[in-house]
Amino acid sequence: MQIDLTLADIVARKHFFSVPLDYQQNLSKQITVFAREISSIENQHKKLPYLVFFQGGPGFGAVRPISNSGWIKRALKEYRVLLLDQRGTGLSSPVNATSLSDMSATVQADYLSFFRADNIIRDAEYIRAKLSPDEPWTILGQSFGGFCVLHYLSAAPEGLKEAYITGGIPSLTRTADEVYQATYQRVIAKNKDFFNRFSDARLLVDNLAKYLYENKVYLATGEQLTVEMLQLLGVNIGMEQGPEAVYYLLEQALIETAHGVDINPLFAHQFSQLLSYNTNPIFALMHESIYCQHNASSWAAHRVRSQFEQFNYHPDKPLLFTGEMVYPWMFAQFEALIPLQPAAELIATKKDWPALYDLEKLANNKVPVAAAIYSNDMFVEMQYSLETTQQVGQLQYWLTSEYEHNGIRMDGERILDKLISLNRGHCLR
């Protein structure tokens, strides 16, 4: 099914595909995968090649374009862009407690095991056979989308002409424990930057944490706001404009009333808007599995946290924010995650995850790849990314300190143009 619509300077076409949940053993059970094809007004009648975008996450639908701007503006000069809602996200058979409510925990966990990069790439190849069967396409991956790019290069390089990665080159071999040992250290550095930058932030945070420690506070969603939940705001301080959003929220948290200090209703309403665990449960359910190859994560972030006692809050010590980590207690505190807690436990202990990367294929890769590596990235360890660049053939990279993890959202036109130039220079040699 196709549906066409016009946006500002963009013509969009909506595609819905029925694809197998399990490509290897059971082709009969189908799910829906959605992709939005966009062209510029001036190029809408030209048969340009495709550029497929893989969103960060896991568990987030592709960007919803509003105008011909940012990285999309650069891409539309020579491509039709396909914005893929990865399975389980957006309009692609969305995963949430409601959609999974008729399944037992065991069935939920088994179902979700098909929502990693391997099947996302199988979906992409299935769609390519429908839209561009005789022409390999170009792909762009942001964050987790970069993990998908490297799996694509491992599993189906014949489907690719060129590839781009922004803020998303993973280690090909390191375990989740190793990843989080590095991540916690980067989060500590980002905390230091945050509290140095906003001179009264330490007082604001510690007063609020102490208040939550001593009082029961409820969010507009009805959930109790705990100190641990407050710490999760740290996922934003590694983003461009994220520290500002956190700071402006914190300075409105407590207000003076006739009965003393109380929580500002505005804060209670806006807090949940900076966290996406209720709205995008795949992230909480499947995030650690993106690092798993023939091993279980066993709640790696939670276990590794014990090595960094400064994150364990007590009223007589300063509070530190955490980062891109998922903890088992989240499935007891976030309303939309509570029904999925048994499935989350099964996923965390699953050991038979297949390998995601073919090291030999990647070493002999012939597809030109250009990547932006952000040296200050809180989410992806720079040293692990650089390690991987030495393990993948035909991969060139641009190492820069100019951007945070979401650089492509802030200055995407320049970043993509830089990477295209890097790739095209590579091709000419």
Side-chain angles (χ1 to χ4, degrees):
M1 179 174 65
Q2 297 178 357
I3 301 172
D4 296 344
L5 62 152
T6 301
L7 303 166
D9 303 321
I10 292 175
V11 175
R13 170 168 290 177
K14 299 164 73 172
H15 297 276
F16 294 87
F17 303 91
S18 291
V19 305
L21 172 69
D22 178 0
Y23 283 86
Q24 296 180 300
Q25 296 187 22
N26 181 11
L27 299 179
S28 62
K29 185 171 179 57
Q30 301 279 300
I31 60 173
T32 297
V33 170
F34 170 78
R36 193 186 313 273
E37 176 184 338
I38 59 174
S39 302
S40 66
I41 294 289
E42 61 179 317
N43 290 334
Q44 61 179 305
H45 300 301
K46 295 180 181 179
K47 188 170 176 56
L48 297 177
Y50 282 102
L51 181 148
V52 184
F53 179 67
F54 292 96
Q55 177 72 34
F60 293 83
V63 60
R64 267 46 185 174
I66 297 174
S67 64
N68 189 359
S69 59
W71 71 265
I72 287 176
K73 181 179 179 181
R74 175 61 184 90
L76 290 182
K77 291 180 179 179
E78 55 186 288
Y79 299 103
R80 288 172 287 172
V81 171
L82 201 66
L83 300 170
L84 178 68
D85 277 353
Q86 298 163 20
R87 51 171 56 198
T89 75
L91 296 176
S92 295
S93 293
V95 164
N96 50 57
T98 301
S99 67
L100 301 179
S101 61
D102 63 337
M103 303 178 188
S104 68
T106 301
V107 174
Q108 287 174 349
D110 182 62
Y111 180 76
L112 290 164
S113 71
F114 295 104
F115 285 72
R116 291 206 309 164
D118 45 6
N119 285 301
I120 292 170
I121 297 313
R122 291 186 178 108
D123 291 340
E125 275 294 280
Y126 182 96
I127 294 169
R128 189 177 69 85
K130 300 289 186 182
L131 298 182
S132 179
D134 301 319
E135 184 179 9
W137 54 20
T138 296
I139 58 175
L140 166 63
Q142 156 65 15
S143 190
F144 170 69
F147 292 46
C148 294
V149 168
L150 284 170
H151 181 77
Y152 214 143
L153 293 169
S154 290
E158 66 280 0
L160 301 178
K161 179 182 179 182
E162 54 190 354
Y164 300 99
I165 299 172
T166 58
I169 298 184
S171 169
L172 303 178
T173 58
R174 292 184 182 272
T175 64
D177 284 48
E178 291 175 283
V179 168
Y180 286 114
Q181 285 161 358
T183 301
Y184 275 112
Q185 295 180 58
R186 293 197 309 278
V187 174
I188 290 170
K190 288 296 184 185
N191 270 274
K192 183 177 180 181
D193 291 344
F194 178 82
F195 289 110
N196 284 341
R197 182 178 173 193
F198 302 101
S199 60
D200 63 338
R202 169 52 61 203
L203 182 63
L204 292 171
V205 168
D206 289 344
N207 284 346
L208 176 57
K210 185 177 181 182
Y211 186 89
L212 297 178
Y213 187 82
E214 296 175 347
N215 301 274
K216 285 190 176 182
V217 172
Y218 294 91
L219 299 171
T221 54
E223 299 153 321
Q224 182 180 348
L225 175 57
T226 63
V227 172
E228 295 85 2
M229 199 181 289
L230 173 66
Q231 289 178 287
L232 296 177
L233 283 180
V235 73
N236 296 282
I237 66 173
M239 300 283 195
E240 198 77 27
Q241 298 183 355
E244 293 89 344
V246 171
Y247 174 75
Y248 290 138
L249 178 68
L250 292 171
E251 69 175 2
Q252 300 180 82
L254 297 175
I255 56 174
E256 292 285 347
T257 74
H259 307 287
V261 175
D262 206 341
I263 285 288
N264 187 341
L266 178 67
F267 170 85
H269 177 77
Q270 292 184 343
F271 178 89
S272 297
Q273 297 177 22
L274 289 185
L275 299 177
S276 55
Y277 304 109
N278 274 327
T279 55
N280 299 80
I282 283 182
F283 181 85
L285 288 161
M286 300 298 292
H287 185 261
E288 290 197 349
S289 77
I290 70 177
Y291 304 114
C292 295
Q293 303 183 87
H294 305 301
N295 63 295
S297 72
S298 302
W299 299 112
H302 184 66
R303 290 184 294 99
V304 173
R305 181 171 173 163
S306 66
Q307 302 171 24
F308 299 89
E309 65 85 30
Q310 56 266 60
F311 288 99
N312 299 325
Y313 175 74
H314 189 273
D316 62 1
K317 61 188 289 190
L319 177 139
L320 285 189
F321 293 114
T322 53
E324 191 184 41
M325 292 92 173
V326 176
Y327 302 107
W329 57 261
M330 293 165 61
F331 290 86
Q333 294 191 21
F334 284 96
E335 193 69 26
L337 297 183
I338 291 172
L340 302 173
Q341 189 274 337
E345 289 290 346
L346 292 172
I347 292 168
T349 55
K350 179 179 170 64
K351 297 179 180 179
D352 58 346
W353 295 109
L356 291 168
Y357 310 112
D358 185 321
L359 299 185
E360 184 176 355
K361 272 191 178 181
L362 289 174
N364 296 299
N365 172 58
K366 304 301 182 187
V367 178
V369 185
I373 299 174
Y374 308 133
S375 60
N376 295 320
D377 199 327
M378 188 181 82
F379 296 79
V380 181
E381 171 58 40
M382 179 188 68
Q383 293 302 328
Y384 292 172
S385 293
L386 293 173
E387 187 177 85
T388 298
T389 65
Q390 303 306 306
Q391 299 172 285
V392 180
Q394 305 301 313
L395 190 158
Q396 297 191 94
Y397 64 90
W398 169 38
L399 178 63
T400 176
S401 62
E402 295 176 69
Y403 303 102
E404 295 286 357
H405 184 68
N406 60 336
I408 195 170
R409 188 186 307 166
M410 309 308 298
D411 197 12
E413 185 176 3
R414 175 177 180 253
I415 290 172
L416 181 56
D417 186 68
K418 177 91 173 180
L419 295 182
I420 288 174
S421 298
L422 193 60
N423 242 1
R424 301 294 159 78
H426 175 84
C427 293
L428 292 174
R429 287 206 296 270

